[in-house]
Amino acid sequence: MIKEMNALQTNNTWELVQLPKGKFTVGSRWIYTVKVGLDGTVDRLKARLVAKGYTQIYGLDYGDTFSPVAKIASVRLLISLAAMHHWPLHQLDIKNAFLHGELTKEVYMEQPPGFVGQGESDLVCRLKRSLYGLKQSPRAWFGRFSSIV
């Protein structure tokens, strides 16, 4: 959980503010995963902070949802071209991928459970970057990815 919080703070994911009148917050929770190695032993324990995006209201908190999908025919074409021309293929794994997307609408989230500072219990997180669980996160991340690539 501390590693995840460090990644969130390093990425400047949110700022603590007073909740403006007429605005609502999205909850947050921790998701825990046990990562297992090839030999079946526990490789590491992982914690990820996610927003409770299922509480968001269409038209008010977010617009369209988005999920980029590559057609299998396109993937096969790419692999066959690479094989024919002896091109190298590389896999890319972006850690905390959704944290790189920038939000266009204001989203307020409750502070992460277990990480509320003394005297800050009345503050909420104004998200600057997308977070797993938000309805607009895939579009925000893909927009950032497309602009760079």
Side-chain angles (χ1 to χ4, degrees):
M1 289 169 58
I2 292 172
K3 283 183 182 178
E4 176 77 358
M5 285 300 290
N6 286 339
L8 293 168
Q9 290 172 346
T10 300
N11 204 31
N12 201 21
T13 307
W14 64 68
E15 63 181 351
L16 292 176
V17 297
Q18 292 283 338
L19 182 65
K21 290 197 185 291
K23 297 289 184 175
F24 300 98
T25 59
V26 174
S28 64
R29 66 178 291 202
W30 290 100
I31 301 293
Y32 303 101
T33 309
V34 177
K35 295 292 185 173
V36 180
L38 294 175
D39 59 353
T41 60
V42 174
D43 190 26
R44 64 187 168 105
L45 303 174
K46 185 176 181 180
R48 172 172 284 154
L49 180 69
V50 298
K52 294 180 181 179
Y54 56 85
T55 62
Q56 291 182 290
I57 301 168
Y58 177 79
L60 182 63
D61 298 318
Y62 69 98
D64 295 330
T65 56
F66 180 72
S67 180
V69 178
K71 292 183 180 180
I72 192 66
S74 301
V75 173
R76 286 183 180 154
L77 176 65
L78 178 66
I79 292 172
S80 63
L81 283 171
M84 286 174 28
H85 295 287
H86 304 288
W87 295 339
L89 287 177
H90 300 280
Q91 178 179 335
L92 178 64
D93 182 20
I94 302 172
K95 291 190 178 203
N96 300 317
F98 277 6
L99 301 183
H100 298 285
E102 295 181 14
L103 296 175
T104 55
K105 284 191 170 189
E106 283 188 347
V107 178
Y108 296 93
M109 182 184 78
E110 296 172 1
Q111 291 188 54
F115 287 89
V116 179
Q118 262 186 328
E120 296 179 338
S121 60
D122 60 333
L123 300 178
V124 297
C125 302
R126 186 181 70 78
L127 297 178
K128 297 178 183 180
R129 304 220 182 231
S130 57
L131 199 63
Y132 288 93
L134 290 176
K135 299 285 187 181
Q136 59 268 51
S137 290
R139 182 175 295 282
W141 177 80
F142 190 72
R144 177 85 185 264
F145 177 76
S146 298
S147 69
I148 293 171
V149 174

